[in-house]
């Protein structure tokens, strides 16, 4: 017969499990251009247009599936722009404000600014083992003194990506005109995921693959200190 003692015991086990499972997020995912959209899809008679914010939550789910805690920035860029009377070109001011605010209470290992490129599908898509993927491009700024540390990080991720998923990477694009918030961490990246014509399924396939790339990087970092 089920007893009150067993009920108390179960509650204690659940309480302890919740404490163990509650880990601090180590990856911060955000979208400076949070309205960038992918190819529309039709579902139950309704047209749904997925965007990079949805892609960020997809990445979060894949990371969660392999026991990597992450967080997605929920605050909208538009709200900051409106409040401070800024136009679209102030988007990096907005994302920088949210990022610095979040860093006050979190010790993230990796910062990911997830974007969607404007290139057409023939340039933004690849097929690996009969599965279609949205290609990835790393964007790296040289506009701050410590960019070499970020470069080392990006090169390592790109190397793992090329080893595990050949043709998925479009490589590394260097920029010297915008800082992209990459001065705030030695492991900050701007990641272009696919292009305007990619489907959310292709984006999903890519972000699942990229989650494994991040896991391999973090596992190696842990082993090598």
């Amino acid at each position: 017969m089920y007893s009150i003692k067993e009920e108390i015991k179960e509650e204690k086990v659940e309480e302890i499990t919740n404490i163990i499972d509650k880990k601090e997020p180590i990856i911060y995912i955000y979208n400076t251009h949070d309205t960038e959209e992918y190819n529309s899809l039709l579902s139950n008679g309704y047209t749904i247009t997925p965007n990079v914010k949805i892609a960020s939550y997809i990445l979060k789910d894949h990371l969660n599936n392999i026991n990597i805690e992450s967080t997605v920035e929920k605050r909208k860029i538009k709200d900051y722009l409106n409040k401070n009377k800024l136009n679209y070109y102030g988007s990096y001011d907005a994302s920088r404000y949210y990022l610095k605010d979040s860093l006050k209470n979190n010790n993230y290992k990796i910062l990911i600014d997830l974007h969607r490129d404007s290139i057409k599908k023939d340039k933004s898509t690849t097929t690996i083992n009969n599965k279609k993927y949205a290609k990835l491009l790393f964007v790296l700024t040289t506009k701050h003194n410590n960019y070499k540390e970020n470069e080392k990080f990006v090169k390592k991720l790109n190397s793992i990506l090329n080893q595990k998923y050949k043709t998925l990477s479009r490589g590394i694009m260097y920029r010297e005109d915008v800082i992209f918030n990459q001065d705030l961490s030695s492991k900050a990246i701007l990641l272009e995921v696919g292009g305007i014509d990619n489907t959310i399924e292709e984006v999903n396939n890519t972000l699942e693959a990229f989650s494994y790339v991040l896991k391999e990087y973090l596992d190696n970092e842990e082993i090598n200190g």
Side-chain angles (χ1 to χ4, degrees):
M1 179 180 278
Y2 189 78
S3 69
I4 189 68
K5 286 184 178 179
E6 289 174 327
E7 187 175 329
I8 292 170
K9 186 177 179 182
E10 285 182 4
E11 285 179 358
K12 287 294 181 185
V13 169
E14 186 178 354
E15 185 180 321
I16 292 168
T17 302
N18 287 339
I19 292 170
I20 292 171
D21 288 345
K22 192 175 182 182
K23 300 175 184 176
E24 292 297 320
I26 62 171
I27 297 179
Y28 175 80
I29 308 165
Y30 68 107
N31 310 100
T32 295
H33 298 148
D34 58 2
T35 58
E36 290 176 332
E37 297 177 340
Y38 291 103
N39 190 28
S40 299
L41 55 89
L42 193 66
S43 178
N44 297 324
Y46 294 94
T47 299
I48 301 169
T49 305
N51 59 21
V52 289
K53 183 65 72 179
I54 291 173
S56 292
Y57 281 106
I58 289 172
L59 177 57
K60 177 181 169 62
D61 283 344
H62 286 305
L63 290 170
N64 184 63
N65 290 339
I66 52 177
N67 298 315
I68 298 174
E69 291 295 318
S70 63
T71 188
V72 175
E73 178 55 65
K74 296 181 176 67
R75 290 170 287 186
K76 295 179 180 179
I77 295 297
K78 180 179 69 175
D79 291 343
Y80 182 92
L81 298 181
N82 290 342
K83 182 180 178 180
N84 293 278
K85 298 180 180 178
L86 297 171
N87 59 25
Y88 185 75
Y89 294 101
S91 295
Y92 280 102
D93 293 330
S95 63
R96 188 178 186 85
Y97 175 82
Y98 292 152
L99 173 52
K100 290 180 77 172
D101 184 54
S102 190
L103 284 170
K104 290 175 185 176
N105 300 308
N106 297 278
N107 187 27
Y108 301 115
K109 288 187 176 181
I110 296 172
L111 311 176
I112 301 173
D113 188 4
L114 196 152
H115 290 248
R116 183 229 68 208
D117 211 340
S118 58
I119 59 174
K120 293 298 182 180
K121 192 156 187 174
D122 61 329
K123 303 291 184 184
S124 69
T125 313
T126 189
T127 302
I128 304 171
N129 296 327
N130 297 316
K131 185 188 284 190
K132 287 189 175 182
Y133 294 80
K135 298 183 79 168
L136 296 175
L137 175 70
F138 298 96
V139 181
L140 179 71
T141 184
T142 60
K143 199 180 177 179
H144 64 99
N145 294 333
N146 298 317
Y147 84 90
K148 285 289 184 182
E149 287 300 311
N150 263 318
E151 182 181 43
K152 188 191 302 182
F153 172 56
V154 169
K155 282 184 173 180
K156 184 59 181 176
L157 289 181
N158 194 49
S159 175
I160 297 170
L161 191 62
N162 285 330
Q163 289 167 18
K164 294 174 77 72
Y165 304 96
K166 193 174 180 181
T167 74
L168 186 53
S169 175
R170 291 169 53 208
I172 303 168
M173 175 187 286
Y174 286 83
R175 293 275 298 271
E176 57 182 24
D177 54 330
V178 183
I179 206 162
F180 299 127
N181 301 320
Q182 291 174 14
D183 58 317
L184 299 179
S185 170
S186 62
K187 293 180 176 62
I189 59 172
L190 192 160
L191 190 65
E192 298 274 7
V193 183
I196 195 167
D197 295 321
N198 282 111
T199 65
I200 200 65
E201 181 181 4
E202 292 160 350
V203 170
N204 174 66
N205 292 339
T206 295
L207 293 175
E208 181 179 24
F210 188 63
S211 70
Y212 294 128
V213 170
L214 289 169
K215 179 171 174 55
E216 183 167 326
Y217 174 84
L218 289 166
D219 287 347
N220 289 339
E221 185 185 47
E222 196 171 290
I223 292 169
N224 298 324

